[in-house]
Amino acid sequence: PSTPPTEDDGELDGATDSHGDDDAVAEYRAKRMAEMQQEARPGRYGRLQRLPASSYAQEVNGADEGVWVVLALVLPGEPSSTRLVNALELTAQHHPAIKFLSMVGAEAIPNYPAANCPTVLVYRSDVLLGQFIGPRSVGLPADKASSSVESDENTVLGALSNVIDDFKKCS
């Protein structure tokens, strides 16, 4: 059996470059490993979180840099708000890297008109990038109560995708 070549044999001359290149490769390898671990790590959200008014600033404005935040302002008991909440609960499970939140509209914004609920606000890095005010803007009119949660999820995802795609085009 043959033995692997060693530097003493002279067969590895040129196989590795200078010490500086080894450092660059090691640095790149470490960076790439960190990226791969981040990508492999499951999202830390994965659910729709209901917020009291006192948590708004911390959860929305204080979200980590680069995190998408979808905030639903709802009116409890209103059919379109209920459908939106159900759709976002399912959507959050499928998109755990996005922070999904819901609040009662009038608690989030004093005197917020009930007619504007549900409203969806889309933030990234504390910047409002999209807003859907009222049930029709998000695609969930109150008179269409017979659709499934999955159908509502697809409708909501379509609206959110438009905001995200527009943002990516501008960045």
Side-chain angles (χ1 to χ4, degrees):
S2 66
T3 58
T6 64
E7 284 189 54
D8 294 336
D9 297 336
E11 292 181 40
L12 289 181
D13 287 350
T16 58
D17 292 337
S18 72
H19 182 41
D21 287 346
D22 288 343
D23 289 344
V25 169
E27 184 179 327
Y28 173 77
R29 181 179 291 135
K31 180 181 175 189
R32 186 64 187 121
M33 286 298 291
E35 289 171 358
M36 289 170 53
Q37 288 171 347
Q38 180 71 18
E39 290 170 8
R41 199 174 84 194
R44 58 180 172 194
Y45 304 112
R47 67 182 182 86
L48 177 65
Q49 181 181 353
R50 288 172 177 80
L51 294 182
S54 60
S55 298
Y56 177 89
Q58 176 186 350
E59 295 296 332
V60 175
N61 305 113
D64 291 340
E65 184 71 24
V67 171
W68 288 92
V69 178
V70 175
L71 173 64
L73 302 179
V74 298
L75 179 63
E78 193 275 323
S80 293
S81 290
T82 300
R83 288 177 51 215
L84 177 65
V85 165
N86 291 339
L88 289 178
E89 285 174 342
L90 186 59
T91 304
Q93 292 171 16
H94 294 138
H95 301 277
I98 299 174
K99 189 175 200 178
F100 287 91
L101 308 169
S102 74
M103 297 181 71
V104 174
E107 289 178 9
I109 302 168
N111 302 315
Y112 193 69
N116 288 353
C117 291
T119 292
V120 176
L121 305 172
V122 182
Y123 294 87
R124 184 162 190 239
S125 302
D126 197 26
V127 175
L128 179 65
L129 298 173
Q131 57 187 359
F132 303 91
I133 300 172
R136 292 195 186 282
S137 69
V138 110
L140 301 174
D143 58 348
K144 188 184 167 198
S146 63
S147 66
S148 68
V149 174
E150 290 81 9
S151 174
D152 288 346
E153 178 194 21
N154 288 333
T155 300
V156 170
L157 274 175
L160 296 177
S161 293
N162 289 337
V163 171
I164 293 169
D165 290 346
D166 287 347
F167 173 79
K168 287 179 180 177
K169 288 177 192 173
C170 294
S171 338

